[in-house]
Amino acid sequence: MDLSVIIPVYNEEESLLLLHQAVHQALDPLNLRWEMVLVDDGSKDASPRIIEQLHQSDPQHVRAVLLRRNFGQTAAIAAGIDHSCGERIVLLDADLQNDPADIPTLLAKLDEGYDVVSGWRINRQDQFLTRTLPSRLANWLISQTTGVHLHDYGCTLKAYRREVITGFKLYGEMHRFIPVYAHSVGAKILEVPVHHHPRRFGKAKYGLERTVKVILDLITVKFLSSYGNKPIYLFGGAGFILILLSLITLLVLFVRRVFFQIPVLDSPIFIMSTMVFILGFQSILMGLIAELLVRTYHESQGKPTYTVRKILPNNHPIHEPNR
């Protein structure tokens, strides 16, 4: 299979037939072997029945994955990836706000050598105060924190090479951070403008309540991408800084006692510096424990600490010794 278009679905009964037609119109001219993986995330409307009907009418292209309950968009995307076969993967929303006509543009950029092509909704058709403005602030924060600078992390429409997104598991709301994970294994990332349409049916499934979840997931992603293989650098570094601050404070207290006859125990700074020293020591111990966990994680799965882009074999003939 050349291409898998993965579409998480939650209460989108009005848009599924139109979406199926739009994907066909975009992909049929490309002469590719492609599939559309519709993942129903516990919809309460007629979406599961329509998905089954689409599979029956178009079994060559439609693959149906029906989850038992609502697990969230990230889990639905992960299920779609696990049950897809394409060498290239495109993620697409089911609400028709993303335009399937942009898929050929993303695929063309993959053909140029990029590993991830991310959509950028320049003219976003959403309410400014409740969706567009918080999204812009989140995109800036994520870009500054991770070092992967994208204008629109929240745009679902993205294209990937399979090999850069199948080496990790997705949890929480982490589907928006897939480019960060891909970048951590050396993926080449490009952002291209895509169309964005007003919602035609229903209402948005998410609002400002996702902000806290995104921030917490960002902390997790930053830790995993920067310190996942060497956590001692984070915990040990913080521990050394705390111990150094504690020693400097104790030295100041010592100087005050020797030269100015100011009692050490009368100052709350002594207790604070002692606590900081203990925290620093505990932080170093946490780093050592985390190092043991990381080694167990990699060695128990035979999981390497590196990724290979390409291997060029040695084509020299093998000379057997004379018998």
Side-chain angles (χ1 to χ4, degrees):
M1 190 71 65
D2 297 314
L3 172 66
S4 294
V5 180
I6 297 173
I7 306 174
V9 179
Y10 182 66
N11 295 342
E12 298 289 356
E13 59 182 359
E14 300 95 343
S15 62
L16 287 174
L17 296 178
L18 295 175
L19 178 65
H20 178 254
Q21 296 174 2
V23 172
H24 264 282
Q25 292 174 0
L27 299 183
D28 285 344
L30 300 183
N31 193 27
L32 295 174
R33 294 175 300 166
W34 62 273
E35 64 177 356
M36 179 168 48
V37 184
L38 293 169
V39 184
D40 180 73
D41 188 23
S43 296
K44 297 179 175 60
D45 61 3
S47 295
R49 177 176 56 82
I50 296 175
I51 290 175
E52 292 183 7
Q53 292 175 353
L54 289 174
H55 171 67
Q56 294 172 0
S57 63
D58 188 15
Q60 180 180 357
H61 293 111
V62 176
R63 179 175 299 198
V65 179
L66 307 180
L67 304 184
R68 290 185 177 272
R69 65 172 178 83
N70 179 250
F71 289 93
Q73 187 177 6
T74 297
I77 290 174
I81 294 174
D82 291 339
H83 292 84
S84 64
C85 302
E87 296 178 359
R88 292 176 289 180
I89 293 174
V90 169
L91 304 183
L92 183 70
D93 276 335
D95 56 11
L96 296 176
Q97 289 194 271
N98 293 145
D99 195 337
D102 289 317
I103 295 178
T105 301
L106 273 61
L107 296 178
K109 294 301 180 181
L110 287 182
D111 292 337
E112 293 179 9
Y114 292 97
D115 301 303
V116 178
V117 183
S118 179
W120 175 14
R121 299 165 295 182
I122 294 182
N123 298 314
R124 184 169 177 176
Q125 303 298 313
D126 283 321
Q127 294 183 357
F128 180 79
L129 289 179
T130 59
R131 293 183 63 85
T132 302
L133 179 60
S135 178
R136 290 180 180 177
L137 295 176
N139 291 324
W140 177 85
L141 178 62
I142 296 171
S143 296
Q144 296 300 316
T145 302
T146 63
V148 183
H149 297 278
L150 296 177
H151 294 88
D152 196 354
Y153 272 92
C155 181
T156 302
L157 182 55
K158 293 179 173 65
Y160 304 90
R161 297 187 188 275
R162 174 175 287 274
E163 62 266 22
V164 301
I165 65 169
T166 53
F168 50 84
K169 298 294 184 180
L170 297 174
Y171 303 94
E173 297 286 338
M174 290 190 177
H175 64 277
R176 68 182 66 246
F177 299 111
I178 294 179
V180 179
Y181 286 115
H183 181 267
S184 69
V185 298
K188 295 176 60 178
I189 301 175
L190 178 70
E191 191 173 35
V192 297
V194 295
H195 297 92
H196 191 243
H197 303 292
R199 173 176 276 274
R200 297 174 59 179
F201 307 103
K203 60 181 181 179
K205 308 299 188 300
Y206 305 102
L208 292 175
E209 69 277 0
R210 301 182 77 181
T211 304
V212 175
K213 296 179 181 179
V214 170
I215 293 175
L216 294 175
D217 284 337
L218 176 59
I219 296 173
T220 302
V221 169
K222 177 60 178 177
F223 171 76
L224 293 176
S225 61
S226 299
Y227 306 102
N229 291 330
K230 291 299 296 181
I232 189 64
Y233 291 164
L234 175 63
F235 294 104
F240 273 119
I241 292 175
L242 292 175
I243 290 175
L244 180 61
L245 291 175
S246 174
L247 293 177
I248 292 175
T249 305
L250 291 174
L251 178 61
V252 172
L253 293 176
F254 175 78
V255 171
R256 292 174 59 188
R257 178 67 181 87
V258 172
F259 294 99
F260 301 99
Q261 303 301 315
I262 300 177
V264 173
L265 298 179
D266 290 348
S267 173
I269 298 178
F270 175 76
I271 299 177
M272 294 176 60
S273 61
T274 303
M275 294 178 60
V276 170
F277 184 90
I278 295 173
L279 288 175
F281 187 73
Q282 288 181 332
S283 182
I284 295 176
L285 292 181
M286 287 178 61
L288 294 175
I289 294 174
E291 285 287 325
L292 293 176
L293 293 175
V294 167
R295 281 158 173 72
T296 302
Y297 168 73
H298 285 284
E299 294 174 10
S300 64
Q301 302 181 71
K303 190 179 180 67
T305 57
Y306 58 87
T307 58
V308 177
R309 179 182 297 275
K310 183 186 297 184
I311 296 177
L312 302 178
N314 188 341
N315 293 323
H316 293 299
I318 299 177
H319 298 285
E320 294 188 359
N322 296 328
R323 297 179 184 269

